[in-house]
Amino acid sequence: MPEDPIMLFSFLNMKLRDMYSSLDALADDMDISAQELENIKKKLLDAGFTYDEKRNQFV
C-alpha cells in the first residue's frame, strides 16, 4: 500500500470504485486490521480527506 497520502488516496478510491462495496469490505479482503484501518484513515484525514460512506470513496 502506498505511503504517500495522495497516492494512498488514489489507490484506495480506485479499489473502492472497482472492487469493493465498502471500506470495511476492502479492509477485510486485504487483511487490514481495525487499528491499521484507523491509521490509514488518520493519515488521509491529516492530508484533508475523509471517507464518505454514501459515495464509498475518500473525498
Side-chain angles (χ1 to χ4, degrees):
M1 200 161 315
E3 290 294 320
D4 177 75
I6 302 301
M7 294 299 292
L8 181 60
F9 166 80
S10 179
F11 173 80
L12 290 174
N13 276 346
M14 177 192 66
K15 291 285 192 185
L16 290 166
R17 179 189 68 233
D18 294 347
M19 302 175 71
Y20 300 101
S21 61
S22 70
L23 186 57
D24 289 333
L26 179 146
D28 184 51
D29 188 56
M30 296 183 72
D31 294 323
I32 298 171
S33 72
Q35 183 60 51
E36 289 172 310
L37 185 57
E38 287 305 313
N39 291 343
I40 289 168
K41 289 165 73 175
K42 169 89 170 78
K43 179 183 266 191
L44 290 174
L45 182 62
D46 289 347
F49 304 112
T50 58
Y51 179 66
D52 183 331
E53 284 186 45
K54 290 182 181 179
R55 296 167 87 180
N56 190 36
Q57 67 181 8
F58 284 91
V59 292

